[in-house]
């Protein structure tokens, strides 16, 4: 059983790897190309037989498809499996002329065997038999998969390079993808002692020359007076945030108006950074970004070519059903720009939707189908309509867009949102409405000491003056010490009551380098917290987060405006959405195929009983019969 699961898994994974050129988001998952070649005919695709066994195997291999074979979802899943197997067969037939050597097949088989610890011939044979295959049949399937991979590469290589007009259009509609990172000009002081770092910070805050302090004290970059980047024209070269440790970089890059950070610990060292100038992200000039633009656009054009190839194979396919149990209905769910969208394309999007997969784990199939039909499928059909309409819209608007249908649709939306701006008032409103998003919670290093009764806890709290070491004083007083370490308010390291006593109470008692909380009951004991390095909760100023907010609000507004523009353009094409009609016909068909319950009659006692079953029906049982 273990070998069977292993090989089924590796065959499916290998198939996807081998046809990676096909596995774009715009094309359906081709599934495993490794199915049994013999069995009961279910249908033919341009004369090539697809067996019942291969269809069943494809359904079982996918947890979503295997979740039910009844009701509306069962009907959907059957339609999906058939559509995928039809496409797979069309692809296989289309690459029969592609040459693949025995040596290439052998190399791939060897790779699979080694990757799955199946180099032993018996283990390999047993594993293949568990999947209903022989070494010979498996190698044939590998040959077919390599042929697909090579045909896809041929198609890609034949695609002409992007024109300057196409590159410029992509650059103009995707400004956010071609920006420089935020950078700062500044200096740092790095020392191994916290007290020394704090003393140096106070000097800097008092007006001392930071460069001189760094040159005399910093363990890093002292030779250039703490400059974060090499000195150029008398000033430090700007650096990106990645040039600093994570905690240090976050604090420094929050100073968009310049200034000094607090003392920040990272990796056993203590940092103070002075930001002399903050350089916000800016758009790269077209010339600087051209190489990256060309890579993106050329990949889109290759995607579109493969999409067109698959669509061309499907266009004139002749399908004949041999087994009526696998005969499916695949009606036109929508029509736009003279193109019909088959219902199976909508089901494909549903099956591959991660939220749908999660939904199936939470509710029964019947409930899931109701939710999917009322919410998800209408959205999916509208997205498909937009994708199918996109090339026509782009041509009408004279846009030099490239890519798959969905990529072109995204480009049209970006075109519609190209002039969207964000005002300072919108940034400020977002800041006020989402204040919690920009708050830094209180934190500190906490020691907890607990006592059997409240009186002892209170006595210790009132007597400890900070002169003796806290842990020694706590144990001497009869308490049980727990070092909680660095604690952030509400992180769960402290009991809820003790967390409140430390971070929200106003009556902490100073004692040496730290402060003591009031005693609070924790379980059956009473605890006192001793906190050092206490930092109060703070809200980042608007100036520190305005760039982040502006980007977030801009993306939201562009998304809304872009979809509005795209929908308006699609509306001019007068698309026809047949989803309601398709779903109604499907429900009627599913209901008609469902087993009929035996009608009930009333016996002489006045109790309901099942009527005699007609020929071909099984009489219903009653509790007495069981």
């Amino acid at each position: 059983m273990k070998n069977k699961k292993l090989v089924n898994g590796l065959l499916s994974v290998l198939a996807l790897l081998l046809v990676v050129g096909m596995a774009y988001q715009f094309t359906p998952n081709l599934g495993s190309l490794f199915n049994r070649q013999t069995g009961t005919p279910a249908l033919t695709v341009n004369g090539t037989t697809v067996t019942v066994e291969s269809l069943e195997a494809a359904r079982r291999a996918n947890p979503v498809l295997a979740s039910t074979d009844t009701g509306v979802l069962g009907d959907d899943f059957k339609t999906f499996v058939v559509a995928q197997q039809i496409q797979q067969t069309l692809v296989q037939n289309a690459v029969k002329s592609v040459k693949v050597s025995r040596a290439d097949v052998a190399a791939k088989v060897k790779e699979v065997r080694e990757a799955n610890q199946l180099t032993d011939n018996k283990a390999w044979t047993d594993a293949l038999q568990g999947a209903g295959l022989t070494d010979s049949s498996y190698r044939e399937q590998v040959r077919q998969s390599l042929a697909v991979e090579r045909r896809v590469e041929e198609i890609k290589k034949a695609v002409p390079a992007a024109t300057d007009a196409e590159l410029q259009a992509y650059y103009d509609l995707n400004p956010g993808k071609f920006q420089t990172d935020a950078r700062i000009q500044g200096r740092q002081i790095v020392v191994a002692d916290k007290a020394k770092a704090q003393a140096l910070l106070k000097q800097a805050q008092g007006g001392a020359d930071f460069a001189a302090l760094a040159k005399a004290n910093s363990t890093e970059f002292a030779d250039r007076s703490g400059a974060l980047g090499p000195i150029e024209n008398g000033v430090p070269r700007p650096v990106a945030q990645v040039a600093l440790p994570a905690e240090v970089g976050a604090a420094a890059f929050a100073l968009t108006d310049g200034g000094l950070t607090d003392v920040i610990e990272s990796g056993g060292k203590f940092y103070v950074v002075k930001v002399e100038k903050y350089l916000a992200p800016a758009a790269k000039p077209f010339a600087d970004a051209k190489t990256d633009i060309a890579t993106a656009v050329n990949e889109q054009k290759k995607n579109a070519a493969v999409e067109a190839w698959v669509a061309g194979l499907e266009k004139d396919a002749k399908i004949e059903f041999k087994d009526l149990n696998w005969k499916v209905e695949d009606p036109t769910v929508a029509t736009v720009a003279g193109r019909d969208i088959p219902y199976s394309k909508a089901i494909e999007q549903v099956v591959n939707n991660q939220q749908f997969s999660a939904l199936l784990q939470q509710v029964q199939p019947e409930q899931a189908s109701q939710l999917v039909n009322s919410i998800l499928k209408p959205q999916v059909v509208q997205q498909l309509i937009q994708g199918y309409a996109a090339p026509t819209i782009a041509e009408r608007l004279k846009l030099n867009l490239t890519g798959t249908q969905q990529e072109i649709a995204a480009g049209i939306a970006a075109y519609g949102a190209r002039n969207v701006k964000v005002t300072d008032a919108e940034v400020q409103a977002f800041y006020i409405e989402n204040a919690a998003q920009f708050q830094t919670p209180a934190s500190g290093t906490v020691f907890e000491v607990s006592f059997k009764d409240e009186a002892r806890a209170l006595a210790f709290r009132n007597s400890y003056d900070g002169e003796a070491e806290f842990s020694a004083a706590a144990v001497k007083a009869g308490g049980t010490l727990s070092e909680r370490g660095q604690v952030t308010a509400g992180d769960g390291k402290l009991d809820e009551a003790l967390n409140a006593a430390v971070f929200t109470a106003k009556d902490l008692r100073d004692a040496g380098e730290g402060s003591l909380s009031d005693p609070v009951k924790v379980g059956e004991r009473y605890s006192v917290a001793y906190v050092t390095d206490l930092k109060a909760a703070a809200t980042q100023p608007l100036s520190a987060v305005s760039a982040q907010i502006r980007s977030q609000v801009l993306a939201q507004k562009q998304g809304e405006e872009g979809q509005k523009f795209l929908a308006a353009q699609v509306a001019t094409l007068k698309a026809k959405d047949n989803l309601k009609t398709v779903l109604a016909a499907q429900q009627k068909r599913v209901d008609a195929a469902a087993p009929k319950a035996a009608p009930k009659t009333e016996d002489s006692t006045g109790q309901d009983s099942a009527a005699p079953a007609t020929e071909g029906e099984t009489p219903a049982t009653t509790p007495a019969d069981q």
Side-chain angles (χ1 to χ4, degrees):
M1 180 60 71
K2 180 178 180 181
N3 281 344
K4 182 175 181 179
K5 289 182 178 179
L6 173 64
V7 173
N8 279 334
L10 72 89
L11 294 181
S12 179
V13 171
L14 176 61
L16 292 177
L17 291 175
L18 293 179
V19 294
V20 65
M22 295 290 295
Y24 297 112
Q25 291 182 354
F26 61 81
T27 59
N29 179 350
L30 293 180
S32 172
L33 294 178
F34 304 93
N35 294 316
R36 296 177 176 86
Q37 297 300 299
T38 59
T40 306
L43 62 137
T44 60
V45 181
N46 292 341
T48 300
T49 297
V50 175
T51 67
V52 170
E53 288 78 6
S54 65
L55 293 168
E56 291 288 2
R59 181 156 58 182
R60 289 194 303 270
N62 186 318
V64 171
L65 303 177
S67 63
T68 183
D69 59 1
T70 62
V72 169
L73 284 185
D75 188 72
D76 279 347
F77 295 165
K78 184 166 72 169
T79 300
F80 173 82
V81 168
V82 169
Q84 293 297 285
Q85 292 294 303
I86 288 172
Q87 185 188 72
Q88 173 180 308
T89 304
L90 289 169
V91 170
Q92 289 176 328
N93 288 345
V95 300
K96 284 183 177 180
S97 62
V98 177
K99 302 297 183 183
V100 178
S101 70
R102 289 185 178 182
D104 290 338
V105 172
K108 180 57 65 175
V109 172
K110 181 181 179 182
E111 178 185 326
V112 172
R113 292 180 64 173
E114 290 177 348
N116 291 277
Q117 292 80 50
L118 292 171
T119 53
D120 178 76
N121 287 336
K122 185 177 186 306
W124 174 245
T125 301
D126 290 346
L128 288 175
Q129 287 178 347
L133 296 165
T134 64
D135 184 75
S136 176
S137 63
Y138 178 73
R139 288 173 185 271
E140 172 57 22
Q141 300 307 310
V142 170
R143 188 202 65 76
Q144 292 178 359
S145 295
L146 289 174
V148 171
E149 183 182 44
R150 292 178 183 182
R151 175 55 57 84
V152 168
E153 288 305 314
E154 290 173 359
I155 293 169
K156 288 181 178 180
K157 288 179 181 179
V159 175
T163 65
D164 285 344
E166 290 169 339
L167 298 180
Q168 186 68 53
Y170 190 86
Y171 174 77
D172 292 341
L173 296 178
N174 296 276
K177 293 183 179 181
F178 306 106
Q179 287 194 326
T180 60
D181 293 327
R183 294 170 298 158
I184 58 172
Q185 289 178 331
R187 301 174 188 271
Q188 67 178 7
I189 295 173
V190 185
V191 295
D193 181 71
K194 183 177 182 180
K196 183 176 181 179
Q198 291 174 328
L200 291 169
L201 174 60
K202 287 183 179 180
Q203 292 181 53
Q205 290 171 334
D209 185 282
F210 193 92
L213 290 175
K215 184 173 184 178
N217 297 279
S218 183
T219 61
E220 297 182 16
F221 302 150
D223 59 335
R224 59 192 194 204
S225 300
L228 296 174
I231 300 297
E232 294 180 347
N233 300 320
V235 296
R237 180 193 296 171
V239 297
Q241 188 167 337
V242 294
L244 295 165
E247 307 91 336
V248 181
F253 276 74
L255 301 174
T256 54
D257 293 327
L260 292 162
T261 67
D262 289 331
V263 173
I264 303 163
E265 182 179 2
S266 178
K269 301 176 183 179
F270 298 90
Y271 294 74
V272 177
V273 178
K274 181 178 182 181
V275 177
E276 298 174 355
K277 187 176 183 180
Y278 175 83
L279 303 172
K284 291 181 181 179
F286 176 79
D288 293 347
K290 189 172 182 179
T291 299
D292 292 337
I293 299 169
T295 298
V297 176
N298 284 326
E299 190 62 30
Q300 282 191 341
K301 296 187 73 170
K302 292 174 183 178
N303 290 353
V306 178
E307 179 184 64
W309 176 60
V310 175
L313 296 177
E314 295 175 324
K315 185 177 180 181
D316 298 318
K318 182 179 180 182
I319 313 301
E320 294 184 9
F321 289 95
K322 303 298 183 180
D323 185 334
L324 295 183
N325 290 322
W326 277 98
K327 188 178 188 304
V328 298
E329 300 290 337
D330 194 6
T332 297
V333 75
T335 301
V336 62
R339 301 184 63 191
D340 293 336
I341 306 174
Y343 181 53
S344 58
K345 296 297 183 183
I347 301 173
E348 172 194 319
Q349 298 297 319
V350 171
V351 170
N352 292 328
N353 186 287
Q354 292 183 351
Q355 293 179 339
F356 171 65
S357 179
L359 177 66
L360 283 179
Q361 298 176 18
Q362 300 173 23
V363 301
Q364 294 297 316
E366 295 79 7
Q367 293 175 284
S369 67
Q370 293 173 7
L371 292 171
V372 169
N373 284 359
S374 61
I375 300 175
L376 184 55
K377 284 181 183 175
Q379 295 175 354
V380 164
V381 170
Q382 286 304 307
Q383 290 171 356
L384 287 169
I385 289 173
Q386 291 176 351
Y388 275 65
T392 299
I393 295 171
E395 182 178 357
R396 185 177 63 190
L397 295 174
K398 294 181 171 58
L399 301 178
N400 289 301
L401 299 178
T402 61
T404 64
Q405 293 176 356
Q406 291 301 327
E407 287 170 339
I408 293 175
I412 295 170
Y415 174 79
R418 67 194 183 282
N419 295 322
V420 171
K421 305 294 182 185
V422 177
T423 66
D424 291 341
E426 288 173 326
V427 171
Q428 187 169 19
F430 186 94
Y431 178 74
I432 293 172
E433 293 170 5
N434 299 274
Q437 182 177 329
F438 308 108
Q439 289 181 346
T440 302
S443 64
T445 302
V446 178
F447 297 84
E448 178 183 355
V449 57
S450 66
F451 299 88
K452 291 183 178 180
D453 56 68
E454 186 176 13
R456 289 187 182 186
L458 185 60
F460 175 76
R461 193 257 189 187
N462 292 335
S463 63
Y464 180 67
D465 57 11
E467 293 186 4
E469 183 185 9
F470 179 78
S471 58
V475 173
K476 184 176 180 180
T480 300
L481 182 69
S482 299
E483 295 186 14
R484 300 303 180 187
Q486 186 67 25
V487 177
T488 300
D491 66 3
K493 291 183 179 179
L494 300 179
D495 175 83
E496 188 174 339
L498 191 60
N499 181 85
V502 172
F503 295 115
T504 62
K506 305 298 183 183
D507 51 359
L508 292 175
R509 176 177 173 273
D510 291 338
E513 295 183 355
S515 303
L516 290 160
S517 73
D518 281 339
V520 296
K521 190 172 184 181
V522 178
E524 298 301 319
R525 296 172 67 87
Y526 290 85
S527 292
V528 174
Y530 183 61
V531 55
T532 60
D533 303 324
L534 180 62
K535 293 182 179 179
T539 300
Q540 293 176 278
L542 177 59
S543 60
V545 296
S546 61
Q548 171 190 340
I549 294 174
R550 189 175 298 276
S551 176
Q552 191 170 342
V553 174
L554 178 62
Q556 180 179 341
K557 290 184 66 177
Q558 286 176 329
E560 294 172 352
E561 189 63 28
Q563 282 302 308
K564 181 180 177 181
F565 177 82
L566 178 58
Q569 293 298 315
V570 172
T572 64
L573 298 177
K574 302 186 184 306
K576 185 176 182 182
D577 185 341
N578 302 321
L579 179 62
K580 289 184 178 179
T581 301
V582 169
L583 293 180
Q586 180 189 41
Q587 187 66 63
K588 185 177 180 180
R589 185 174 65 253
V590 169
D591 289 344
K596 299 295 188 294
K600 293 182 178 181
T601 60
E602 191 173 287
D603 61 20
S604 58
T605 65
Q607 300 295 318
D608 286 342
S609 62
T614 59
E615 184 177 354
E617 292 182 337
T618 302
T621 59
T622 66
D625 296 323
Q626 298 175 356

